[in-house]
Amino acid sequence: MAILEVRNLTHFFGGLRAVFKFDLALQEGEVLGLIGPNGAGKTTVFNLVSGFYHPTEGDICFRGNEIVRLRPHEVTALGMARTFQNIRLWNTLTVFENLCISQHSKLGYGILGTIFRSRGFRTSERCIRKTAEEILDILSLRHYANEYPKNLPYGLQRRIEIGRALAMRPHLLMLDEPAAGMNPGEVDQLIELITWIRDKFQLTIWLIEHHMRVVMNICERIVVLDFGETIAQGTPEEIRQDPRVIQAYLGDADSIDA
Ligand SMILES: Nc1ncnc2c1ncn2[C@@H]1O[C@H](COP(=O)(O)OP(=O)(O)OP(=O)(O)O)[C@@H](O)[C@H]1O
Ligand SMILES: [Mg+2]
Protein backbone atom coordinates (compact mmCIF):
# COMPACT_ATOMS: atom_id res chain seq x y z
CA MET A 1 0.00 0.00 0.00
CA ALA A 2 1.30 3.48 -0.84
CA ILE A 3 1.89 5.67 2.21
CA LEU A 4 2.69 8.64 -0.03
CA GLU A 5 1.53 9.40 -3.55
CA VAL A 6 2.85 12.37 -5.46
CA ARG A 7 1.35 13.26 -8.81
CA ASN A 8 2.58 15.71 -11.40
CA LEU A 9 4.47 17.80 -8.85
CA THR A 10 5.85 20.91 -10.51
CA HIS A 11 7.52 23.93 -8.94
CA PHE A 12 8.96 27.12 -10.36
CA PHE A 13 11.10 29.65 -8.53
CA GLY A 14 10.39 32.69 -10.69
CA GLY A 15 11.52 31.55 -14.14
CA LEU A 16 13.50 28.59 -12.82
CA ARG A 17 11.86 25.19 -13.21
CA ALA A 18 13.10 23.38 -10.10
CA VAL A 19 10.78 20.34 -10.20
CA PHE A 20 8.83 19.16 -13.23
CA LYS A 21 6.04 16.58 -13.37
CA PHE A 22 7.44 14.52 -10.50
CA ASP A 23 5.46 11.33 -9.75
CA LEU A 24 6.05 8.90 -6.93
CA ALA A 25 4.27 6.10 -5.07
CA LEU A 26 6.16 5.34 -1.89
CA GLN A 27 5.19 1.97 -0.44
CA GLU A 28 4.73 1.43 3.28
CA GLY A 29 7.94 0.08 4.85
CA GLU A 30 10.05 0.93 1.81
CA VAL A 31 13.49 2.58 1.95
CA LEU A 32 13.66 4.84 -1.08
CA GLY A 33 16.64 6.88 -2.25
CA LEU A 34 16.42 10.17 -4.13
CA ILE A 35 19.66 11.06 -5.89
CA GLY A 36 20.90 13.40 -8.58
CA PRO A 37 23.41 16.18 -9.25
CA ASN A 38 23.60 19.39 -7.20
CA GLY A 39 20.64 21.60 -7.98
CA ALA A 40 18.59 18.72 -9.45
CA GLY A 41 15.60 19.61 -7.25
CA LYS A 42 15.85 16.94 -4.52
CA THR A 43 15.55 19.24 -1.51
CA THR A 44 12.80 21.18 -3.28
CA VAL A 45 10.81 17.92 -3.61
CA PHE A 46 11.22 17.38 0.16
CA ASN A 47 10.20 20.98 0.87
CA LEU A 48 7.09 20.59 -1.29
CA VAL A 49 6.07 17.27 0.21
CA SER A 50 6.60 18.41 3.81
CA GLY A 51 4.63 21.65 3.38
CA PHE A 52 7.52 24.16 3.43
CA TYR A 53 6.69 25.19 -0.14
CA HIS A 54 3.41 24.95 -1.96
CA PRO A 55 3.84 23.63 -5.51
CA THR A 56 3.00 25.49 -8.66
CA GLU A 57 1.08 22.36 -9.68
CA GLY A 58 0.45 18.81 -8.51
CA ASP A 59 -1.14 16.64 -5.83
CA ILE A 60 0.29 14.98 -2.75
CA CYS A 61 -1.57 12.32 -0.80
CA PHE A 62 -0.12 11.15 2.52
CA ARG A 63 -1.78 8.33 4.46
CA GLY A 64 -5.03 9.00 2.63
CA ASN A 65 -4.97 12.79 3.19
CA GLU A 66 -4.56 15.43 0.48
CA ILE A 67 -1.78 17.54 1.98
CA VAL A 68 -0.73 19.82 -0.84
CA ARG A 69 -1.95 23.02 0.85
CA LEU A 70 -1.11 22.06 4.44
CA ARG A 71 1.54 23.81 6.50
CA PRO A 72 4.59 21.96 7.86
CA HIS A 73 3.21 21.42 11.39
CA GLU A 74 -0.04 20.05 9.95
CA VAL A 75 1.89 17.58 7.80
CA THR A 76 4.00 16.61 10.83
CA ALA A 77 0.86 15.91 12.81
CA LEU A 78 -0.18 13.38 10.14
CA GLY A 79 3.01 11.40 10.75
CA MET A 80 5.74 12.80 8.52
CA ALA A 81 9.06 13.93 9.97
CA ARG A 82 12.18 15.13 8.24
CA THR A 83 15.71 16.30 8.75
CA PHE A 84 17.32 19.22 6.95
CA GLN A 85 20.32 19.45 4.65
CA ASN A 86 21.47 22.40 6.78
CA ILE A 87 21.07 21.08 10.30
CA ARG A 88 18.27 22.83 12.19
CA LEU A 89 18.73 22.34 15.91
CA TRP A 90 18.11 24.80 18.75
CA ASN A 91 21.61 25.75 19.78
CA THR A 92 20.46 27.48 22.97
CA LEU A 93 18.81 24.24 24.15
CA THR A 94 20.51 21.05 25.28
CA VAL A 95 20.34 17.83 23.27
CA PHE A 96 17.66 16.52 25.65
CA GLU A 97 15.62 19.72 25.35
CA ASN A 98 15.91 19.56 21.56
CA LEU A 99 14.43 16.07 21.65
CA CYS A 100 11.59 17.33 23.85
CA ILE A 101 10.71 20.50 21.97
CA SER A 102 10.31 18.71 18.67
CA GLN A 103 7.34 16.83 20.09
CA HIS A 104 5.33 19.92 21.03
CA SER A 105 3.62 20.13 17.65
CA LYS A 106 1.60 17.08 18.67
CA LEU A 107 0.36 18.39 22.02
CA GLY A 108 -3.30 19.17 22.52
CA TYR A 109 -3.56 20.90 25.89
CA GLY A 110 -3.63 24.52 24.61
CA ILE A 111 -2.36 27.72 26.16
CA LEU A 112 -4.58 27.65 29.30
CA GLY A 113 -3.49 24.10 29.99
CA THR A 114 0.10 25.24 29.77
CA ILE A 115 -0.39 28.23 32.11
CA PHE A 116 -2.31 26.29 34.75
CA ARG A 117 -0.28 23.12 34.22
CA SER A 118 -3.43 21.07 33.74
CA ARG A 119 -3.45 17.30 34.13
CA GLY A 120 -3.33 16.97 30.32
CA PHE A 121 -0.27 19.20 30.27
CA ARG A 122 1.50 17.24 33.00
CA THR A 123 0.71 13.88 31.37
CA SER A 124 1.93 15.14 27.99
CA GLU A 125 5.11 16.53 29.51
CA ARG A 126 5.82 13.20 31.18
CA CYS A 127 5.21 11.40 27.91
CA ILE A 128 7.51 13.81 26.04
CA ARG A 129 10.34 13.37 28.53
CA LYS A 130 9.95 9.59 28.38
CA THR A 131 10.14 9.57 24.58
CA ALA A 132 13.20 11.85 24.67
CA GLU A 133 14.85 9.49 27.18
CA GLU A 134 14.16 6.55 24.86
CA ILE A 135 15.65 8.40 21.89
CA LEU A 136 18.78 9.19 23.91
CA ASP A 137 19.29 5.46 24.44
CA ILE A 138 18.31 4.32 20.95
CA LEU A 139 20.70 6.75 19.26
CA SER A 140 23.45 6.41 21.89
CA LEU A 141 23.14 10.09 22.78
CA ARG A 142 22.76 9.81 26.55
CA HIS A 143 26.33 10.91 27.13
CA TYR A 144 25.54 14.19 25.35
CA ALA A 145 22.09 14.84 26.87
CA ASN A 146 23.14 18.05 28.64
CA GLU A 147 25.45 19.35 25.93
CA TYR A 148 24.56 22.09 23.46
CA PRO A 149 24.47 20.86 19.84
CA LYS A 150 26.78 23.58 18.54
CA ASN A 151 29.59 22.23 20.75
CA LEU A 152 29.33 18.74 19.26
CA PRO A 153 30.92 17.29 16.11
CA TYR A 154 28.96 17.53 12.90
CA GLY A 155 28.29 13.78 12.66
CA LEU A 156 26.73 13.82 16.12
CA GLN A 157 24.59 16.82 15.29
CA ARG A 158 23.23 14.87 12.32
CA ARG A 159 22.37 11.98 14.64
CA ILE A 160 20.58 14.37 17.01
CA GLU A 161 18.58 15.66 14.04
CA ILE A 162 17.52 12.12 13.23
CA GLY A 163 16.59 11.77 16.92
CA ARG A 164 14.56 14.98 16.79
CA ALA A 165 12.63 13.62 13.81
CA LEU A 166 12.20 10.16 15.38
CA ALA A 167 10.86 11.68 18.60
CA MET A 168 7.80 12.74 16.62
CA ARG A 169 7.06 9.03 16.14
CA PRO A 170 6.58 9.40 12.40
CA HIS A 171 5.26 6.89 9.91
CA LEU A 172 7.45 8.41 7.21
CA LEU A 173 10.96 9.62 7.98
CA MET A 174 12.60 11.84 5.35
CA LEU A 175 16.34 12.38 5.62
CA ASP A 176 18.05 15.09 3.55
CA GLU A 177 21.72 14.12 3.18
CA PRO A 178 22.16 12.46 6.58
CA ALA A 179 25.75 11.43 5.77
CA ALA A 180 26.92 14.91 4.78
CA GLY A 181 30.02 15.88 6.73
CA MET A 182 30.42 12.47 8.34
CA ASN A 183 33.72 10.62 8.46
CA PRO A 184 33.87 7.02 7.10
CA GLY A 185 33.36 5.48 10.56
CA GLU A 186 30.30 7.66 11.17
CA VAL A 187 28.95 6.71 7.72
CA ASP A 188 29.20 3.00 8.63
CA GLN A 189 27.35 3.67 11.88
CA LEU A 190 24.71 5.66 9.99
CA ILE A 191 24.08 2.78 7.56
CA GLU A 192 23.58 0.44 10.51
CA LEU A 193 21.43 2.95 12.36
CA ILE A 194 19.02 3.66 9.49
CA THR A 195 18.55 -0.04 8.78
CA TRP A 196 17.98 -0.71 12.47
CA ILE A 197 15.51 2.18 12.83
CA ARG A 198 13.50 0.94 9.87
CA ASP A 199 13.26 -2.59 11.30
CA LYS A 200 12.59 -1.55 14.89
CA PHE A 201 9.95 1.10 14.18
CA GLN A 202 8.62 -0.34 10.91
CA LEU A 203 9.05 3.03 9.30
CA THR A 204 9.02 4.10 5.71
CA ILE A 205 12.23 5.96 4.95
CA TRP A 206 12.91 8.39 2.12
CA LEU A 207 16.45 9.50 1.81
CA ILE A 208 18.36 12.10 -0.22
CA GLU A 209 22.04 11.31 -0.32
CA HIS A 210 25.14 11.92 -2.40
CA HIS A 211 27.06 9.29 -0.50
CA MET A 212 26.70 6.26 -2.79
CA ARG A 213 27.80 3.74 -0.17
CA VAL A 214 24.81 4.77 1.96
CA VAL A 215 22.37 4.81 -0.95
CA MET A 216 23.45 1.53 -2.49
CA ASN A 217 23.54 -0.29 0.85
CA ILE A 218 20.24 0.68 2.36
CA CYS A 219 17.82 1.69 -0.40
CA GLU A 220 15.56 -0.89 -2.00
CA ARG A 221 14.65 1.50 -4.79
CA ILE A 222 16.24 4.64 -6.11
CA VAL A 223 14.76 7.58 -8.02
CA VAL A 224 17.15 9.79 -9.98
CA LEU A 225 16.42 13.47 -10.63
CA ASP A 226 18.16 15.71 -13.11
CA PHE A 227 17.09 19.29 -13.82
CA GLY A 228 13.91 18.68 -11.84
CA GLU A 229 12.84 15.60 -13.84
CA THR A 230 12.97 11.90 -13.04
CA ILE A 231 15.47 10.35 -15.43
CA ALA A 232 15.50 6.85 -13.95
CA GLN A 233 14.19 4.67 -11.16
CA GLY A 234 14.93 1.12 -10.12
CA THR A 235 16.91 -1.12 -7.81
CA PRO A 236 20.45 -0.07 -6.81
CA GLU A 237 21.81 -2.55 -9.35
CA GLU A 238 19.65 -1.15 -12.17
CA ILE A 239 20.57 2.43 -11.29
CA ARG A 240 24.25 1.65 -11.08
CA GLN A 241 24.17 0.36 -14.66
CA ASP A 242 21.79 2.90 -16.20
CA PRO A 243 23.69 4.78 -18.92
CA ARG A 244 21.63 7.94 -18.47
CA VAL A 245 22.33 8.01 -14.75
CA ILE A 246 26.01 7.35 -15.28
CA GLN A 247 26.19 10.20 -17.76
CA ALA A 248 24.18 12.68 -15.68
CA TYR A 249 25.45 11.83 -12.24
CA LEU A 250 27.48 8.78 -11.41
CA GLY A 251 30.30 9.27 -13.91
CA ASP A 252 32.49 6.23 -13.85
CA ALA A 253 30.16 3.69 -12.22
CA ASP A 254 33.12 1.55 -11.18
CA SER A 255 34.10 4.21 -8.71
CA ILE A 256 31.05 3.57 -6.53
CA ASP A 257 32.45 1.96 -3.43
CA ALA A 258 29.30 0.11 -2.42
N1 LIG B 1 14.17 29.12 -2.26
C1 LIG B 1 14.67 29.13 -3.51
N2 LIG B 1 14.56 30.20 -4.29
C2 LIG B 1 15.06 30.19 -5.56
N3 LIG B 1 15.66 29.14 -6.13
C3 LIG B 1 15.79 28.04 -5.37
C4 LIG B 1 15.31 27.96 -4.02
N4 LIG B 1 15.58 26.73 -3.53
C5 LIG B 1 16.21 26.08 -4.52
N5 LIG B 1 16.32 26.84 -5.61
C6 LIG B 1 16.92 26.44 -6.90
O1 LIG B 1 16.18 25.29 -7.33
C7 LIG B 1 17.05 24.31 -7.92
C8 LIG B 1 16.91 23.01 -7.13
O2 LIG B 1 17.51 23.20 -5.85
P1 LIG B 1 17.53 22.08 -4.73
O3 LIG B 1 18.06 22.71 -3.51
O4 LIG B 1 16.19 21.46 -4.67
O5 LIG B 1 18.57 21.04 -5.36
P2 LIG B 1 19.19 19.74 -4.73
O6 LIG B 1 18.96 18.64 -5.70
O7 LIG B 1 18.72 19.55 -3.35
O8 LIG B 1 20.77 20.08 -4.74
P3 LIG B 1 21.93 19.69 -3.68
O9 LIG B 1 22.35 18.29 -4.03
O10 LIG B 1 23.01 20.69 -3.99
O11 LIG B 1 21.38 19.84 -2.31
C9 LIG B 1 18.44 24.92 -7.88
O12 LIG B 1 18.68 25.54 -9.13
C10 LIG B 1 18.37 25.96 -6.79
O13 LIG B 1 19.28 27.00 -6.99
MG1 LIG C 1 19.60 19.52 -1.50
Side-chain angles (χ1 to χ4, degrees):
M1 204 187 108
I3 184 170
L4 177 75
E5 272 188 273
V6 179
R7 288 176 300 268
N8 198 33
L9 196 66
T10 297
H11 194 64
F12 283 79
F13 291 111
L16 176 83
R17 197 181 71 178
V19 177
F20 189 61
K21 294 186 183 298
F22 180 80
D23 288 313
L24 177 76
L26 182 55
Q27 302 305 314
E28 210 154 348
E30 192 175 18
V31 181
L32 179 85
L34 181 62
I35 66 171
N38 292 119
K42 305 178 298 293
T43 297
T44 303
V45 167
F46 267 28
N47 284 335
L48 292 167
V49 168
S50 54
F52 284 82
Y53 299 154
H54 291 147
T56 311
E57 214 180 305
D59 297 308
I60 308 168
C61 181
F62 177 57
R63 301 181 68 221
N65 305 280
E66 284 299 332
I67 61 164
V68 81
R69 293 285 146 204
L70 298 190
R71 288 178 294 170
H73 70 275
E74 295 170 317
V75 178
T76 302
L78 291 172
M80 185 190 296
R82 66 171 290 190
T83 63
F84 294 87
Q85 186 167 352
N86 304 315
I87 296 173
R88 289 194 192 181
L89 292 167
W90 298 85
N91 277 319
T92 51
L93 301 179
T94 65
V95 170
F96 182 72
E97 289 164 345
N98 265 279
L99 297 178
C100 289
I101 203 162
S102 66
Q103 300 174 57
H104 277 83
S105 60
K106 289 170 76 178
L107 296 184
Y109 46 70
I111 190 76
L112 286 177
T114 308
I115 293 167
F116 295 109
R117 296 183 63 83
S118 65
R119 188 190 300 176
F121 171 84
R122 290 193 306 268
T123 310
S124 300
E125 284 299 310
R126 258 200 310 277
C127 194
I128 280 175
R129 296 181 72 84
K130 187 162 170 278
T131 300
E133 295 278 354
E134 279 168 19
I135 300 288
L136 286 178
D137 288 333
I138 287 168
L139 297 192
S140 309
L141 291 169
R142 182 161 292 284
H143 185 66
Y144 310 100
N146 298 319
E147 302 271 359
Y148 292 92
K150 66 173 184 296
N151 298 331
L152 297 171
Y154 205 60
L156 258 178
Q157 292 188 30
R158 290 229 165 257
R159 207 153 81 213
I160 298 163
E161 260 235 318
I162 295 176
R164 181 186 57 69
L166 265 187
M168 298 184 216
R169 299 184 181 278
H171 294 270
L172 170 61
L173 177 64
M174 292 159 61
L175 305 172
D176 194 345
E177 297 201 30
M182 287 191 169
N183 64 41
E186 289 173 329
V187 169
D188 287 339
Q189 284 177 7
L190 180 76
I191 291 171
E192 257 179 51
L193 177 68
I194 294 176
T195 312
W196 186 84
I197 286 173
R198 197 274 299 260
D199 293 344
K200 168 139 176 94
F201 298 100
Q202 314 221 307
L203 286 180
T204 309
I205 295 180
W206 189 10
L207 169 96
I208 295 174
E209 190 49 74
H210 284 291
H211 210 297
M212 283 306 112
R213 191 149 57 87
V214 177
V215 176
M216 296 294 172
N217 270 294
I218 64 180
C219 296
E220 292 149 342
R221 185 161 65 104
I222 297 171
V223 172
V224 189
L225 272 190
D226 191 25
F227 292 109
E229 290 186 68
T230 301
I231 58 164
Q233 55 179 305
T235 63
E237 210 40 53
E238 287 164 348
I239 292 302
R240 201 199 291 261
Q241 292 168 7
D242 188 306
R244 221 175 140 187
V245 180
I246 293 169
Q247 191 195 13
Y249 182 51
L250 294 179
D252 177 6
D254 291 335
S255 68
I256 301 169
D257 57 344

